[in-house]
Amino acid sequence: MQTLTIRRPDDWHVHLRDGAMLKVVAPYTARQFARAIVMPNLDPPVTSVKTAQAYRERIVAATGDGFTPLMTCYLTDAANPDEIARGFEQNVWIAAKLYPAGATTNSASGVTDIRLIHPTLARMERIGMVLSVHGEVTDPEVDVFDREAVFIDRVLAPLTREFPALKIVFEHITTQDAADFVRDSGPNVAATITPQHLHLNRNALFAGGLRPHAYCLPVAKREQHRIAVRQVATSGSAKFFLGTDSAPHSREAKESSCGCAGIFNAPFALESYATVFEEEGALEHFEAFASEHGARFYGLPLNEGTVTLARAASQVPTEIDGIVPFHAGETLGWRMVADEGV
Ligand code: NCD
Ligand code: ZN
């Protein structure tokens, strides 16, 4: 097989930033994906219908037509169920994002105690609005590599018992524990998977020295976990779908005494995922992972149009507009060559 043509895919988790950075990075996402779920962790975060609408307009101005940003709202301790339901009913946002306070970049205004947002979660459960979850505890006593697994026990499992019909996306899963939890939960619980967590284990952070460009949150885990995440991603299960978590930071912000978490993978995301599916002998499941499972979970129509990847070298630049991309300096064995519109 020399080319691979799939239904046009969607990215179910991306950070497009704002201002000058938005203009640089958004076109890379729009080039490959018809739609993307845009994370709300701006500074200040997107918490109101009005700010989400304005942000959506800035994104469309940066990408042009042919790309649909799907907005999210950022949950805080002060989340107002009426405002959140209003944005959903007016088709401004599609999901609400739970960041435990302090878990990651721009999460200072996140939720300090899940009980504070129970009224909002009850409302979301009733109206069928998705909760997308950054699944890590922030307790400093918990080892950073255990924070996802501990989150399942302390927060997520109780949440699914309290709100059994709430639609939940466990974002950017990194562990066997998360893969098992999602697989064994009901059909209203799903997960996104990033390219970096399919390619990297935690050794990548320390390969020959400290590697800030391999650092994101949740941090990469042991090889055993990477293998488990690869297995579910490529299994064909409808509970697992593409979410790049592309999270650009300038080179200076990454290469610092306190480097930012986040990997900019948007420019070669499809090539990166395709490489993994091929290595796993699972290219037949690639289209469903990239273009079907997420849309079905969110209750959206599948895209028209296609993209085509060819078996050709993609030379990943060492830097793109001041940002070091994922796979910088590497050659990938696939290249996106065509894009048939609707
Ligand atoms: C994200 C960012 O930079 O906004 N960083 C990351 O490492 N993934 C935030 C997030 O999704 O955790
Ligand atoms: Zn993210």
Side-chain angles (χ1 to χ4, degrees), residues 13-15 17 39 41 97 99 104 134 171-172 194 217-218 244-247:
H13 180 131
V14 68
H15 300 267
R17 311 304 193 205
M39 289 296 129
N41 64 331
K97 178 71 188 273
Y99 287 106
T104 185
H134 184 107
E171 302 289 344
H172 40 52
T194 76
L217 286 170
T244 62
D245 194 23
S246 184

Side-chain angles (χ1 to χ4, degrees), residues 70-142:
L70 302 170
M71 309 309 290
T72 54
C73 88
Y74 183 114
L75 293 173
T76 68
D77 287 349
N80 174 347
D82 291 336
E83 177 78 354
I84 286 162
R86 188 167 73 87
F88 182 67
E89 279 147 13
Q90 294 180 358
N91 283 319
V92 175
W93 49 48
I94 187 168
K97 178 71 188 273
L98 168 62
Y99 287 106
T104 185
T105 308
N106 290 342
S107 64
S109 323
V111 174
T112 60
D113 181 343
I114 189 86
R115 284 169 297 193
L116 295 170
I117 61 162
H118 272 196
T120 297
L121 299 178
R123 185 73 162 273
M124 290 170 60
E125 181 181 43
R126 213 163 58 234
I127 63 179
M129 180 174 170
V130 170
L131 177 72
S132 59
V133 178
H134 184 107
E136 290 190 286
V137 294
T138 55
D139 181 347
E141 299 202 343
V142 176

